[in-house]
Amino acid sequence: MGVGNRRGRYLALEGTEGVGKTTLAVHLAARLSHMGVEVKLVREPGGTALGEKIRSLLLHGGGMSEWAEALLFAAQRSELARQVIRPALERGAWVISDRSVYSSLAYQGHARGLGVDGVREVNAHALGETTPDMVLWLEMDPEKALARQEGRDRIGGEGPALHRAVWEGYRNLWMSEGDVVKRIDASLTIGQSVDTAFSFLRSRRWLPVVASENDEARV
């Protein structure tokens, strides 16, 4: 049974490069869809015509200042929220996002040294109240995770010091915002990771009622 006319849920997958966010997003969407939930998969940066152009600049363009980077992320995020995420939530769909504002807090706020509060304020103007209901942080040693990544974009190709700082940023957010940010061990199998995510969702009583546990698709 689906969620009817209730507002949907906004789930964001976060972590350093190479932890498996995209794969987990696809499997979470598949299991939720099997349960009768409409799911909209999105990614950041991107997801709109403007967002995809900004994605190209951010991931494959030349060098830029820290604040230019942060503001470009906020700009594409604002368009994605207005055009895609907010309408999906209002019709009762669940949004599963490969990255979100929490990426900017970890990357630009903490690792780039702009300040988490300052980056959060900029994005608050861009997003309003359209922020994740739950963040699933896929946690792994950043250098091990980076070694699993195929191909490096502009940010992924930076040195290990940046990615270690990003990991620290996520850890700080997990420790300070544990009501929203939930940790998943990224070394788990994909099936174990999906089960862990669903345990968090059940704890909030967000999932639609199904006939039995066997009605949930397994991965």
Side-chain angles (χ1 to χ4, degrees):
M1 184 173 72
V3 294
N5 294 322
R6 291 180 297 170
R7 178 189 177 278
R9 299 293 178 183
Y10 178 10
L11 307 181
L13 276 64
E14 294 286 355
T16 54
E17 312 296 321
V19 293
K21 299 179 299 299
T22 303
T23 301
L24 181 56
V26 170
H27 283 81
L28 284 174
R31 188 180 292 188
L32 285 166
S33 296
H34 184 80
M35 298 170 69
V37 176
E38 179 189 353
V39 180
K40 180 67 177 178
L41 280 169
V42 299
R43 70 175 183 177
E44 289 195 14
T48 66
L50 176 61
E52 291 299 320
K53 292 178 181 178
I54 294 175
R55 179 185 180 88
S56 181
L57 287 172
L58 284 166
L59 301 186
H60 306 294
M64 62 185 71
S65 72
E66 289 84 356
W67 270 114
E69 183 180 84
L71 291 170
L72 283 171
F73 272 110
Q76 63 81 33
R77 189 170 291 129
S78 179
E79 285 294 285
L80 184 64
R82 182 180 65 86
Q83 293 187 23
V84 181
I85 297 176
R86 202 171 297 138
L89 295 174
E90 288 172 352
R91 69 174 181 264
W94 284 44
V95 174
I96 299 179
S97 182
D98 183 342
R99 296 202 179 280
S100 72
V101 63
Y102 280 80
S103 284
S104 282
L105 301 181
Y107 278 78
Q108 287 78 49
H110 184 82
R112 297 290 197 202
L114 299 182
V116 170
D117 290 342
V119 172
R120 193 191 299 272
E121 182 178 359
V122 166
N123 281 272
H125 291 295
L127 294 173
E129 297 181 356
T130 309
T131 56
D133 295 302
M134 181 179 288
V135 174
L136 301 175
W137 172 40
L138 278 68
E139 190 269 332
M140 175 183 280
D141 179 272
E143 292 186 32
K144 290 182 179 179
L146 198 62
R148 305 195 313 182
Q149 190 180 39
E150 296 181 3
R152 301 282 177 85
D153 56 38
R154 183 182 68 86
I155 297 175
E158 294 198 36
L162 174 77
H163 300 289
R164 174 62 59 179
V166 171
W167 176 88
E168 292 172 353
Y170 280 123
R171 184 175 184 275
N172 291 346
L173 291 165
W174 172 56
M175 294 179 67
S176 63
E177 300 186 31
D179 55 330
V180 174
V181 181
K182 304 298 182 183
R183 176 188 174 275
I184 295 178
D185 182 348
S187 68
L188 296 173
T189 67
I190 187 62
Q192 291 170 327
S193 295
V194 173
D195 286 342
T196 301
F198 265 64
S199 70
F200 294 137
L201 300 178
R202 289 191 196 96
S203 71
R204 298 287 182 88
R205 302 182 183 274
W206 286 350
L207 294 175
V209 177
V210 294
S212 71
E213 287 290 308
N214 293 329
D215 287 339
E216 293 182 17
R218 297 295 168 183
V219 291

